[in-house]
Each structure stands twice: as structure tokens, then as C-alpha cells.
Amino acid sequence: MPSIRLRVNGRVHDLDVPAEKPLLWILRDDLGLKGTKYGCGIAECGACTVLVGDEAVRSCATLAADVGDADITTIEEREVDDEAEAE
């Protein structure tokens, strides 16, 4: 299995996952980030949306290998940002 390096919410993760594994399942199952939800599985509903760089993508239809070295931002990071702004 190939090793993939992902930068999620400002933290670097080195993972041994199949290159064809959707980003959604890496976020939820491998990294424990449950805020990104499974909805339709065909990139239509938007429940699995994350930011890759500055672009909103459907993580159910995005392979981890296709992300490259872009920063990935999930709802968990957005919640932290919103709390900091509220103070």
C-alpha cells in the first residue's frame, strides 16, 4: 500500500492507504474527523464538502492521491475559526 501525506486542518498526516480510497473515508475512518458527512456518494448533495486549497470539493468523489500537497480544510477547522472570531 502506498504512503500518502495529507495536510488536514494545518496538521500533516502520513497514511498507508490505497491510492483509490476516497478522501471522505480517510477523513472519517483514518483521521477520526466525523464532521464531514456521507450523503449521496455521487457528489451531488454536498454533505461531504471540504476545501482543498481554496476550492470546495466533494470528498466522496475525490481520491486522496489526487489532492497532492494542497491544504485540506474540514468543518472541524472552520468551527475553531468561528469560535476564535466570536471572542
Side-chain angles (χ1 to χ4, degrees), residues 8-9 27-28 33-37 47-51 72-83:
V8 181
N9 299 335
L27 295 172
R28 291 183 58 80
L33 299 172
K34 305 294 186 184
T36 303
K37 304 296 185 196
C48 66
T49 302
V50 298
L51 293 177
I72 301 165
T73 305
T74 69
I75 191 69
E76 286 89 354
E77 179 68 15
R78 298 301 307 160
E79 289 173 349
V80 170
D81 290 347
D82 290 345
E83 288 172 7

Side-chain angles (χ1 to χ4, degrees), residues 10-30:
R11 296 183 61 201
V12 175
H13 302 273
D14 290 311
L15 304 161
D16 289 325
V17 295
E20 67 277 0
K21 188 171 187 177
L23 182 59
L24 171 65
W25 300 118
I26 291 173
L27 295 172
R28 291 183 58 80
D29 296 342
D30 298 310

